[in-house]
């Protein structure tokens, strides 16, 4: 039976993610638009984003946090290009974004001493193979496979190398063991439902030391430069951005942070996201056709929840037919106004991906589930 109740907010995209409940454009009316970001008001707002973020996340007092250009990609690339090459590098690659960092290390940075530890979609590489005398580059949550690292126990506390972590779909939704990480990056457009284009980079004292003592053998574009004359540009970490940010997006980021505080801060955000995963798990347990792409419970993401079809009648189809049926499910649900943007990532195996970050209401996840069953039933009638 076609369900009759649609989710109040049908936005389940894995980025840009759903705006927080109650969001409206009116909330941005105090944005410092038309003003310089270097003027007192704009600079204060940028600094406020940094300070509120530090406080919600519980960043160690000696970590720097900056707002940087080009979203999470910009933040990751500036770390890789500025810091790598001083020693050997291990990169963990288990889905599209982490594989992208591995391929940049190999083909763009052309690192001589590079190991790429790979795993297929749904799995993690063997984390115990990492060598902490080397720098290690990895994603905390693989957004395109729905597989996360289970914790930071595998990261050596007395490491010599740097732990460089792309945590864009994890920060504000998962516990991040900050002292185990030296560079952590994310963007505004993920868990707090902010706007695209702006990245954040957190640096440990050891990461700052690397920046100040190592000169990479490659040119660095201005938007990657975090030092001048061998010294850290401290202004970047107090709101003096490298180039011009959008003050409309800054206002929106502040709204997201204030909302985060209102739902109980980090613990509240994590609980909201975990409740979304629990609702999906309860449904998957009794579903005859849906399963998780993540092979292990401990590595199952609570933000980018990736599903595969486990119905033997579906598995018997050719892969391009499977992809075609899944596209039909996605477009049918979009047309019905029940779910937007729930197709698997373009490089991932055929499946569905449903964002379960903190801005998504569990009542909306619950309202979506009967639609998934209905749409699957409709396509199954075709094969
Ligand atoms: C793990 C991961 N890394 C990097 C990116 C790229 O982020 P952005 O488009 O914000 O630069 C994404 C986007 O979804 C991601 O999930």
């Amino acid at each position: 039976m076609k369900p009759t109740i649609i989710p109040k907010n049908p936005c389940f995209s894995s980025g840009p993610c759903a705006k927080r409940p109650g969001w409206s454009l009116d909330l941005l009316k105090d944005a410092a638009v038309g003003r310089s970001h270097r003027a007192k008001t704009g600079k204060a707002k940028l600094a406020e984003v940094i300070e509120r973020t530090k406080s919600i996340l519980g960043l160690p007092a000696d970590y720097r946090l900056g707002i940087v250009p080009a979203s999470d990609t910009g933040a990751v690339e500036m770390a890789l290009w500025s810091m790598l090459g001083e020693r050997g590098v291990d990169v963990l690659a288990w889905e599209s974004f982490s594989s992208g960092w591995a391929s940049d290390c190999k083909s763009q940075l052309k690192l001589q001493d590079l190991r790429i530890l790979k795993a297929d979609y749904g799995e993690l590489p063997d984390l115990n193979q990492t060598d902490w005398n080397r720098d290690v580059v990895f994603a905390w949550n693989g957004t395109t496979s729905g597989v996360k690292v289970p914790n930071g126990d595998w990261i050596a506390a007395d490491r010599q190398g740097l732990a460089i972590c792309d945590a864009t779909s994890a920060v504000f939704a998962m516990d991040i063991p900050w002292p185990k990480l030296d560079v952590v990056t994310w963007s505004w457009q993920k868990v707090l439902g902010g706007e695209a284009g702006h990245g954040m980079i957190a640096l440990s004292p050891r990461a700052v030391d690397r920046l100040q003592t190592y000169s990479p053998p490659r040119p660095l574009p201005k938007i990657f430069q975090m030092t001048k004359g061998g010294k850290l540009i401290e202004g970047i970490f107090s709101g003096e951005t490298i180039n011009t940010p959008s003050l409309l997006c800054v206002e929106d980021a502040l709204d997201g942070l204030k909302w985060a505080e209102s739902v109980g801060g980090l613990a509240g955000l994590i609980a909201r996201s975990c409740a979304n995963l629990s609702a999906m798990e309860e449904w998957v347990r009794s579903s005859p056709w849906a399963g998780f792409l993540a092979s292990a419970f401990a590595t199952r993401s609570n933000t980018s929840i990736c599903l595969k079809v486990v119905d033997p009648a579906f598995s018997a189809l050719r892969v391009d037919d499977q992809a075609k049926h899944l596209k039909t499910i996605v477009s049918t649900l979009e047309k019905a106004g029940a779910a937007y943007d729930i197709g698997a990532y373009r490089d991932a195996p055929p499946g569905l991906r449903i964002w379960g970050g903190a801005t998504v209401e569990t009542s909306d996840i619950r309202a979506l589930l009967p639609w998934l069953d209905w749409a699957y039933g409709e396509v199954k009638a075709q094969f």
Side-chain angles (χ1 to χ4, degrees):
M1 281 266 290
K2 188 172 178 178
T4 50
I5 300 169
I6 57 168
K8 206 168 151 208
N9 183 356
C11 294
F12 298 104
S13 148
S14 292
C17 301
K19 303 304 274 182
R20 56 101 162 167
W23 183 89
S24 85
L25 267 176
D26 288 347
L27 294 164
L28 309 187
K29 64 180 183 321
D30 292 334
V33 291
R35 295 293 313 275
S36 165
H37 60 297
R38 312 263 183 224
K40 211 169 150 193
T41 323
K43 230 180 105 178
K45 284 181 187 276
L46 287 157
E48 189 182 342
V49 170
I50 292 174
E51 289 312 314
R52 281 189 193 265
T53 304
K54 276 185 174 171
S55 146
I56 294 171
L57 294 176
L59 221 64
D62 55 357
Y63 276 47
R64 290 350 186 256
L65 180 64
I67 299 168
V68 296
S71 206
D72 180 62
T73 308
V76 174
E77 294 286 4
M78 75 196 292
L80 303 187
W81 287 71
S82 308
M83 295 181 193
L84 295 186
E86 189 256 2
R87 61 182 61 226
V89 177
D90 286 355
V91 188
L92 307 185
W94 70 87
E95 45 80 64
S96 180
F97 287 106
S98 44
S99 302
W101 307 141
S103 111
D104 279 0
C105 287
K106 186 169 177 222
S107 311
Q108 303 296 329
L109 295 172
K110 299 188 181 1
L111 297 174
Q112 295 300 310
D113 184 4
L114 174 69
R115 298 194 310 168
I116 300 177
L117 310 177
K118 289 190 198 164
D120 277 341
Y121 277 85
E123 309 290 332
L124 271 184
D126 181 356
L127 301 177
N128 295 320
Q129 294 301 312
T130 45
D131 174 354
W132 292 101
N133 287 316
R134 302 159 68 81
D135 292 332
V136 179
V137 178
F138 66 101
W140 194 272
N141 182 70
T143 320
T144 63
S145 69
V147 172
K148 63 174 183 177
V149 297
N151 51 49
D153 296 356
W154 53 286
I155 303 170
D158 61 351
R159 62 197 174 279
Q160 299 300 306
L162 298 177
I164 301 178
C165 178
D166 169 3
T168 195
S169 51
V171 163
F172 293 113
M174 298 176 194
D175 262 322
I176 304 290
W178 297 100
K180 290 282 186 87
L181 302 174
D182 298 294
V183 178
V184 184
T185 67
W186 66 94
S187 76
W188 291 348
Q189 50 121 343
K190 284 279 190 287
V191 179
L192 296 187
E195 288 302 294
H198 299 74
M200 299 209 77
I201 189 165
L203 301 177
S204 73
R206 292 181 56 247
V208 172
D209 189 56
R210 171 72 61 84
L211 286 172
Q212 297 190 138
T213 55
Y214 171 64
S215 255
R218 61 187 77 99
L220 286 184
K222 177 174 170 173
I223 57 166
F224 286 179
Q225 293 168 21
M226 288 183 272
T227 57
K228 193 168 184 183
K231 284 265 159 265
L232 190 73
I233 306 173
E234 291 285 356
I236 297 175
F237 306 94
S238 63
E240 291 166 21
T241 47
I242 298 173
N243 66 342
T244 315
S246 156
L247 289 167
L248 196 61
C249 297
V250 167
E251 199 67 18
D252 186 66
L254 282 174
D255 172 71
L257 290 163
K258 289 175 194 166
W259 172 77
E261 287 156 6
S262 79
V263 296
L266 184 61
L269 296 168
I270 293 176
R272 286 176 62 85
S273 177
C274 289
N276 289 336
L277 176 60
S278 296
M280 297 278 309
E281 283 173 335
E282 198 183 305
W283 169 77
V284 164
R285 264 196 296 277
S286 59
S287 170
W289 66 271
F292 290 105
L293 184 54
S295 63
F297 173 76
T299 67
R300 194 180 287 161
S301 172
N302 49 297
T303 54
S304 56
I305 305 170
C306 293
L307 299 175
K308 62 182 179 184
V309 179
V310 295
D311 178 357
F314 184 90
S315 313
L317 300 173
R318 289 186 4 219
V319 174
D320 46 350
D321 284 332
Q322 296 182 0
K324 188 184 81 189
H325 288 304
L326 285 158
K327 273 199 176 127
T328 306
I329 293 179
V330 171
S331 63
T332 305
L333 293 181
E334 180 171 339
K335 263 188 230 129
Y340 299 147
D341 314 319
I342 61 164
Y345 191 72
R346 54 181 187 236
D347 305 338
L352 299 172
R353 181 172 61 156
I354 292 147
W355 184 253
T359 55
V360 173
E361 297 276 31
T362 306
S363 51
D364 284 340
I365 294 275
R366 289 194 197 286
L368 168 68
L369 301 174
W371 286 94
L372 296 178
D373 285 329
W374 169 74
Y376 184 72
E378 293 290 296
V379 296
K380 187 162 180 180
Q382 311 296 315
F383 59 82

